[in-house]
Every structure is written in C-alpha cells, then in structure tokens.
Amino acid sequence: GEDVSVSGGAKASSTPSSSKQSPVVLTSRNFGKSVADGNVWLIEVYAPWCGHCVSFEPSYQEIAAHFHSQPQLKVKVGKIDGEAERALA
C-alpha cells in the first residue's frame, strides 16, 4: 500500500497492519479471558454499516498500533462488532 503521513511524523500504510498492531477482535468466546489478562482495555463497540465507525477505523488502528507496540504501558485495544456480538454490546 501507499504510505501516508500521520500526526507525529509517523508513517501509516494503507494496507492492513499486522495482527499484533491491530485492535484485538473480541467475541463472546474470547472476551472474558482476554480482558482478564491484567491489562487496561480500550474497547470500541462498532457496527460495520456505521459511517462514523468506518471513518474512525484508521485512527483506531493508529491507537492500537501505539499501545500494542509499547507493552510496558499495559494497555490493549479491542473492538467488538455490535451486530454480530449482541450479547457483548
């Protein structure tokens, strides 16, 4: 993908980032175990059809990459598809 400048002079690729840098996809099957890992969690509940959610996705990817690249901060970034995971939303 093409590199684009983002705030702070960092480069972000328009191709999907590695899974370690992306928000953790949380489901009813992995939610309890994931959030009980001793980290602080920032969790977005989104709908795939929501225009605001779609436009926020690149920023949320940057937030996830920032925190996931610095594990000493003990902050994980996750997301829940509110349509598919109604029990969690």
Side-chain angles (χ1 to χ4, degrees):
E2 181 181 320
D3 283 344
V4 290
S5 285
V6 293
S7 62
K11 294 281 186 180
S13 175
S14 59
T15 56
S17 56
S18 70
S19 60
K20 286 184 181 179
Q21 300 301 314
S22 295
V24 177
V25 177
L26 297 169
T27 67
S28 56
R29 289 191 292 281
N30 69 359
F31 182 84
K33 181 181 176 192
S34 295
V35 300
D37 67 358
N39 293 292
V40 171
W41 280 81
L42 173 65
I43 301 171
E44 174 195 28
V45 179
Y46 71 95
W49 48 262
C50 171
H52 296 290
C53 299
V54 171
S55 61
F56 181 59
E57 181 65 21
S59 297
Y60 202 62
Q61 287 282 346
E62 284 185 46
I63 292 165
H66 171 78
F67 284 112
H68 293 174
S69 68
Q70 300 180 66
Q72 74 278 9
L73 296 177
K74 295 191 175 291
V75 176
K76 294 269 185 88
V77 178
K79 65 182 185 177
I80 297 171
D81 180 339
E83 286 287 297
E85 297 294 333
R86 290 189 181 268
L88 293 176

